[in-house]
């Protein structure tokens, strides 16, 4: 019987490995084709306006929703949307893709700003070459970008803080995992969160660290934080995979007393809320971001005036309203 169970487990692991391997190969080939087009200055559909959407991470579920919204708006407005991004979060890779998009003289670029020093000069370079650039998800306010589309991240951080304040009783030590300390959107979320917590002395933030937008790193950092600060009983994540990583760490350490708060509505987070492992999450509207960014870019290309900032909606999801379904 033991031999049979071992054999079944081995087969399951092999199937999972093959699935991950072939998925990686497929994504890599797709990415290589898109990069090749950029390198040779080719437009996928030359008779249509060609807009490049550069994501933070190519196959990240959050960015796939942005892609879906962008492509739907592209289809409705007769615009070709080309979606591209690093296989793993990398500022250097994003910068290279932005440089290639500028060199290929596309009709418009939609990009996230992960680091002002790296992205602002390139955004300004594109504008100087009459290529309109719109920031999405994370703004570059000091650049000449035509507009920002996405969450008001300071307000989102405040909403996260209010979610903690209203759902946590008594005096508590709080640990925070942010996606990255180089990104404007993450800094603003943290600032907004801390501004609310500062008004409630019963809650003390004792540690803040970064996950580099990685579930594994979020788990590692959360585990180290909990070992160093065993009095922490509330943990907060400000990017999509942080709460999931925190949950892994909590389970590894058998810490039943930790209340977890997250950001975004990835499937595992929503399931964990249903199961009571995560208390609440602040949900953005990535589909709407992608859709609105393309629609506004089309308006700009047709000569219409557009607002410099277009903020999409946010809300708190907890066990009371999680059954209403996931948001676009």
């Amino acid at each position: 019987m033991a031999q049979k169970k071992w054999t079944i487990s081995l087969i399951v692991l092999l199937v999972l490995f093959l699935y991950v391997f072939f998925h990686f190969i497929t994504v890599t080939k797709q990415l290589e084709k898109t990069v090749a087009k950029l390198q040779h200055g080719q437009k996928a559909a030359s008779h249509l306006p060609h807009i490049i959407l550069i994501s933070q991470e190519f196959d990240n579920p959050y960015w796939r929703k942005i892609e879906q919204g962008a492509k739907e708006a592209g289809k409705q407005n007769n615009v070709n949307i080309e979606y591209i991004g690093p296989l793993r979060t990398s500022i250097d890779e994003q910068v290279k893709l932005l440089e290639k998009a500028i060199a290929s003289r596309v009709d418009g670029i939609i990009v996230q700003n992960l680091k002002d020093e790296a992205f602002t000069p390139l955004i300004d370079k594109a504008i100087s070459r009459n290529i309109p650039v719109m920031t999405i998800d994370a703004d570059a306010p000091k650049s000449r970008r035509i507009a920002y589309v996405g969450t008001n991240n300071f307000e989102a951080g405040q909403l996260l803080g209010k979610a903690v304040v209203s759902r946590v009783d008594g005096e508590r030590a709080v640990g925070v995992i942010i996606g990255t300390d180089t990104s404007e959107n993450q800094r603003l979320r943290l600032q907004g969160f801390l501004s609310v917590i500062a008004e409630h002395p019963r809650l003390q933030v004792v540690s803040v660290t970064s996950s580099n937008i990685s579930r594994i790193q979020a788990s590692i950092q959360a585990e180290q934080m909990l070992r160093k600060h065993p009095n922490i009983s509330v943990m907060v994540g400000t990017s999509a995979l942080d709460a999931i990583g925190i949950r892994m760490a909590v389970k590894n350490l058998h810490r039943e007393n930790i209340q977890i708060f997250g950001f975004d509505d990835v499937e595992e987070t929503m399931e964990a809320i249903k199961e009571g492992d995560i208390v609440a999450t602040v949900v953005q509207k990535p589909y709407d971001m992608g859709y609105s960014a393309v629609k506004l870019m089309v308006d700009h290309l047709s000569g219409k005036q557009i607002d410099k900032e277009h903020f999409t909606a946010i809300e708190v999801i907890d066990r009371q309203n999680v059954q209403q379904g996931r948001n676009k």
Side-chain angles (χ1 to χ4, degrees):
M1 180 64 71
Q3 178 70 23
K4 185 177 180 181
K5 286 183 178 179
W6 184 87
T7 302
I8 292 172
S9 298
L10 186 61
I11 291 171
V12 170
L13 288 172
L14 180 60
V15 170
L16 286 173
F17 171 78
L18 290 172
Y19 171 80
V20 172
F21 175 75
F22 285 114
H23 178 71
F24 176 81
I25 294 297
T26 301
V27 169
T28 301
K29 286 182 177 178
Q30 184 179 348
L31 193 53
E32 285 173 350
K33 286 180 183 177
T34 305
V35 171
K37 288 178 185 176
L38 288 176
Q39 287 174 331
H40 293 91
Q42 297 173 355
K43 293 185 179 182
S46 58
H47 63 289
L48 297 176
H50 182 203
I51 297 172
I52 292 285
L53 169 60
I54 304 174
S55 69
Q56 182 180 6
E57 188 176 79
F58 188 77
D59 212 25
N60 182 293
Y62 174 81
W63 280 96
R64 284 298 194 180
K65 285 187 179 180
I66 292 177
E67 177 198 16
Q68 289 169 13
K71 288 191 171 177
E72 179 60 29
K75 185 166 62 175
Q76 292 179 12
N77 292 276
N78 293 318
V79 174
N80 178 57
I81 305 299
E82 193 156 8
Y83 173 79
I84 191 170
L87 289 177
R88 281 289 299 121
T89 298
S90 166
I91 292 176
D92 290 341
E93 288 300 314
Q94 269 187 297
V95 164
K96 288 177 184 176
L97 292 172
L98 180 53
E99 288 174 335
K100 288 171 182 173
I102 295 170
S104 67
R105 304 197 66 81
V106 295
D107 297 301
I109 300 170
I110 301 171
V111 67
Q112 177 198 47
N113 170 38
L114 277 179
K115 190 176 185 181
D116 285 337
E117 297 84 352
F119 284 82
T120 293
L122 283 175
I123 292 171
D124 292 349
K125 178 181 177 181
I127 297 293
S128 70
R129 296 187 179 185
N130 296 316
I131 302 172
V133 179
M134 187 176 295
T135 52
I136 189 168
D137 184 66
D139 195 11
K142 295 178 183 177
S143 73
R144 294 167 60 195
R145 53 87 170 130
I146 62 168
Y148 164 70
V149 177
T151 299
N152 182 324
N153 284 291
F154 185 82
E155 288 187 2
Q158 288 184 313
L159 187 60
L160 184 58
K162 291 173 183 176
V164 171
V165 168
S166 64
R167 291 166 174 81
V168 170
D169 297 325
E171 296 185 0
R172 300 292 189 93
V174 181
V176 181
I177 306 285
I178 67 172
T180 170
D181 52 16
T182 63
S183 175
E184 177 75 5
N185 65 346
Q186 295 294 310
R187 289 198 298 265
L188 286 170
R189 287 176 199 175
L190 179 62
Q191 290 169 15
F193 177 78
L194 294 177
S195 71
V196 171
I197 298 302
E199 298 174 356
H200 301 270
R202 65 185 180 84
L203 301 173
Q204 295 292 325
V205 175
V206 298
S207 183
V208 178
T209 191
S210 167
S211 66
N212 194 32
I213 319 293
S214 163
R215 156 191 348 226
I216 300 301
Q217 278 300 312
S219 178
I220 292 170
Q221 295 299 326
E223 190 163 332
Q224 290 178 353
M225 188 184 292
L226 288 168
R227 290 185 187 278
K228 186 176 180 180
H229 303 279
N231 61 323
I232 287 176
S233 59
V234 176
M235 291 208 68
V236 176
T238 66
S239 68
L241 303 177
D242 293 339
I244 300 167
I246 293 168
R247 183 194 190 200
M248 290 168 59
V250 167
K251 287 185 178 297
N252 289 342
L253 295 174
H254 304 290
R255 290 287 304 271
E256 304 286 337
N257 63 329
I258 306 294
Q259 289 180 273
I260 304 171
F261 294 81
F263 217 92
D264 290 326
D265 63 341
V266 296
E267 187 173 348
E268 287 181 65
T269 297
M270 304 302 271
E271 288 301 319
I273 290 174
K274 292 175 185 177
E275 294 169 11
D277 291 341
I278 294 177
V279 179
T281 186
V282 172
V283 172
Q284 304 180 86
K285 305 288 184 179
Y287 181 96
D288 290 348
M289 287 183 201
Y291 186 94
S292 298
V294 170
K295 182 66 171 63
L296 289 169
M297 182 67 80
V298 170
D299 287 346
H300 174 80
L301 291 173
S302 64
K304 296 179 182 177
Q305 285 290 114
I306 61 172
D307 292 334
K308 289 290 185 179
E309 293 179 322
H310 181 89
F311 294 131
T312 47
I314 51 174
E315 65 176 317
V316 175
I317 298 291
D318 61 13
R319 211 168 185 179
Q320 301 300 313
N321 59 354
V322 70
Q323 298 295 345
Q324 294 174 9
R326 297 169 65 187
N327 295 271
K328 288 185 174 183

